[in-house]
């Protein structure tokens, strides 16, 4: 079938919205009619050419929500009409990682996904016979996508698509960092560095876990106000001095749980330093540039601080994204402030511009 999609032709150039060919779903695959897709830094990072593992041509986008249109052979868990959220982090429910509750890093399709292929090593998108690769296994800047069944979470049909798509990436990452990775205990003190989609999700996650105090540090006053709306109790200007202020406000000890959501290694260090001696846990969710290293004084660890990394918030996508969506539908999370712009697929490059200007949290493409 033919569909419209935003193609990255060459790094550093605007995406070109055009008609491409999409093949039928094969075994274990599902055809999804997409209705909404968030525009994320990771899309821009690849489009810019800064990501050394990037490839082109490809259809970008990985924060999709839509409705199953058709299923290929051997698909058992999804049927036409089901509402789904796309998962760049799949859950096969069979590999040794999926069977272990300590991790969400499914091993099933990693290698082919990293190459821009579906699990069988090919792609479904093409143009005049030329293969167009599948970005993060998703390629959701498009009217339709074909994805593996194991990379789709079936969610409540009551969730509006523009909110459901937020769970595909940063929001679940932040929520999960607090709920799964850190498993914040009720009554504790938390500190979140960064108030983008991930940091705001972490603030909300700390609140849902019953944290008593939630510090949030960011450079932008507007974003700090959004953090207050998600439950932050103390707002701090990021940068030099943020650690000292957190220590001051916690009797010199630091926070029980800290979260880094900026991708900046200097801020990661601050998040470690702001964690409480004896049991403070620092969860790193930001993605640093390739080759960058984290500089930490080892004595901070000997005296009881710990550091954990968190990919997609430790969320096992098919099991947990539907639960998070239900909590949102039950009124536990306010998502309205996160959707700042609604744009058409044709305006996708404007979505990148808005993001670079830090105008709002998410531009959502309506498809
Ligand atoms: N672990 C995962 O699975 C996963 C998933 C999605 C995104 N990420 C990563 O998480 C990070 C955050 O993503 P996002 O979408 O929220 O990004 P974002 O750019 O929207 O937010 C980052 C925030 O950090 C703030 N900031 C910058 N420097 C700061 C400082 N010195 N102190 C305090 N705040 C500072 C910025 O003002 C901004 O509000 C990125 O590195 C992204 O790649 C990780
Ligand atoms: Zn994303
Ligand atoms: Zn698996």
């Amino acid at each position: 079938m033919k569909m419209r999609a935003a193609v990255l032709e060459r790094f550093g150039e605007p995406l070109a919205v055009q008609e491409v060919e999409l093949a039928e779903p094969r075994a274990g695959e599902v055809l999804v009619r997409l209705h909404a897709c968030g525009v994320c830094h990771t899309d821009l990072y690849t489009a810019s050419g800064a990501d050394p593992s990037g490839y082109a041509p490809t259809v970008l986008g990985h924060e999709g929500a839509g409705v199953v249109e058709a299923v290929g052979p051997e698909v058992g868990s999804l049927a036409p009409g089901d509402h789904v959220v796309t998962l760049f982090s799949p859950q096969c429910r069979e590999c040794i990682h999926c069977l272990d509750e300590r991790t969400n890093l499914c091993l099933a399709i990693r290698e082919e996904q990293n190459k821009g292929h579906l699990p069988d090593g090919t792609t479904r998108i093409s143009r005049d016979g030329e293969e167009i690769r599948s970005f993060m296994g998703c390629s959701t800047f498009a009217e339709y996508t074909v994805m593996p069944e194991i990379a789709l979470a079936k969610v409540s049909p009551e969730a509006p698509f523009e909110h459901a798509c937020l769970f595909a990436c940063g929001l679940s990452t932040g929520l999960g960092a607090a709920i799964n990775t850190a498993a914040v205990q009720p009554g504790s003190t938390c500190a979140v560095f960064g108030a983008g989609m991930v940091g705001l999700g972490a603030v909300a996650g700390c609140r849902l876990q019953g944290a008593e105090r939630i510090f949030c540090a960011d450079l932008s006053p507007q974003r700090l106000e959004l953090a207050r709306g998600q439950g932050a109790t103390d707002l701090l200007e990021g940068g030099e001095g943020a650690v000292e202020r957190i220590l001051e406000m916690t009797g010199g000890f630091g926070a029980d749980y800290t979260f880094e959501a900026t991708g900046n290694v200097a801020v990661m260090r601050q998040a470690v330093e702001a964690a409480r001696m004896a049991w403070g846990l620092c969860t790193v969710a930001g993605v640093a540039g390739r080759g960058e290293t984290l500089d930490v004084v080892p004595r901070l660890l000997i005296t009881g601080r710990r550091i954990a990394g968190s990919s997609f918030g430790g969320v096992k996508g098919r099991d947990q994204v539907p639960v998070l969506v239900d909590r949102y539908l039950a009124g536990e999370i306010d998502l309205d402030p996160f959707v700042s712009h609604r744009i058409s697929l044709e305006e996708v490059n404007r979505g990148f511009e808005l993001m670079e200007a830090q105008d709002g949290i998410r531009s959502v493409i309506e498809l």
Side-chain angles (χ1 to χ4, degrees):
M1 63 184 275
K2 300 248 184 251
M3 67 165 181
R4 303 213 30 98
V7 180
L8 170 67
E9 304 278 5
R10 271 171 297 277
F11 298 120
E13 289 181 11
L15 305 189
V17 179
Q18 58 193 269
E19 202 168 78
V20 297
E21 190 69 35
L22 185 68
E24 299 272 295
R26 296 186 187 171
E29 297 175 357
V30 175
L31 172 67
V32 178
R33 171 70 176 101
L34 294 160
H35 287 282
C37 180
V39 179
C40 175
H41 298 278
T42 310
D43 302 304
L44 180 59
Y45 183 56
T46 295
S48 71
D51 179 4
S53 56
Y55 37 75
T58 183
V59 173
L60 294 178
H62 61 282
E63 300 189 355
V67 179
V68 172
E69 179 113 340
V71 299
E74 294 162 39
V75 169
S77 66
L78 291 170
D82 286 344
H83 287 222
V84 290
V85 167
T86 62
L87 301 170
F88 66 84
S89 179
Q91 183 191 359
C92 76
R93 295 182 171 146
E94 287 170 7
C95 73
I96 53 164
H97 285 182
C98 279
L99 294 174
D100 195 312
E101 64 180 25
R102 290 175 295 186
T103 183
N104 65 333
L105 296 174
C106 175
L107 297 169
I109 60 176
R110 285 177 91 78
E111 269 175 44
E112 291 300 339
Q113 183 178 333
N114 288 342
K115 287 188 239 165
H117 294 150
L118 291 184
D120 74 352
T122 63
T123 77
R124 299 293 157 271
I125 314 169
S126 64
R127 178 183 50 199
D128 306 326
E130 176 201 16
E131 126 177 323
I132 295 183
R133 288 206 253 178
S134 164
F135 178 66
M136 292 172 80
C138 296
S139 282
T140 48
F141 287 168
E143 292 172 311
Y144 293 86
T145 185
V146 169
M147 289 181 59
E149 171 185 26
I150 63 168
L152 292 166
K154 179 177 166 180
V155 300
S156 168
E158 281 165 40
F161 296 112
E162 68 173 27
H163 286 166
C165 74
L166 303 176
F167 288 91
C169 184
L171 176 62
S172 294
T173 299
L175 288 168
I179 296 171
N180 298 326
T181 312
V184 168
Q185 288 181 16
S188 52
T189 298
C190 300
V192 178
F193 290 81
M197 188 76 263
V198 176
L200 292 167
V203 169
C206 291
R207 171 178 51 81
L208 293 176
Q209 291 291 107
E212 190 176 305
R213 275 185 100 178
I214 306 172
F215 301 99
C216 185
D218 199 289
L219 305 174
S220 148
Q222 293 90 336
R223 290 193 163 200
L224 287 175
E225 277 314 313
L226 291 173
R228 191 196 296 284
Q230 296 301 321
T233 56
D234 300 80
L235 309 178
L236 305 172
E237 193 187 346
E240 294 278 313
V243 175
E244 284 66 29
R245 260 168 297 136
I246 292 170
L247 293 177
E248 268 167 35
M249 292 191 283
T250 52
F253 281 117
D256 301 313
Y257 302 93
T258 65
F259 298 88
E260 181 282 330
T262 69
N264 178 329
V265 291
V267 179
M268 292 177 191
R269 175 182 176 154
Q270 287 191 313
V272 177
E273 292 172 350
R276 194 191 191 285
M277 78 175 288
W279 59 68
L281 175 62
C282 169
T283 300
V284 173
V287 178
R290 184 165 290 201
E292 288 188 301
T293 57
L294 173 56
D295 189 9
V296 169
V297 178
R299 191 179 45 78
L300 295 176
L301 306 180
I302 296 290
T303 48
R305 295 166 193 82
R306 293 167 299 145
I307 308 174
S310 183
S311 172
F312 195 49
V315 169
K316 288 184 187 279
R318 291 162 79 197
D319 292 344
Q320 280 185 284
V321 164
V323 176
L324 294 173
V325 170
D326 285 347
R327 294 188 77 168
Y328 144 69
L329 287 171
E332 293 188 55
I333 316 163
D334 178 13
L335 299 184
D336 281 324
F338 295 154
V339 180
S340 25
H341 302 275
R342 293 165 186 81
I343 59 177
S344 67
L345 185 60
E346 268 62 31
E347 296 172 297
V348 59
N349 294 302
R350 193 173 147 249
F352 282 157
E353 285 163 23
L354 289 165
M355 198 165 57
E356 283 185 295
Q358 250 197 32
D359 183 337
I361 295 295
R362 270 292 178 281
S363 295
V364 171
I365 300 173
E366 297 179 313
L367 294 155

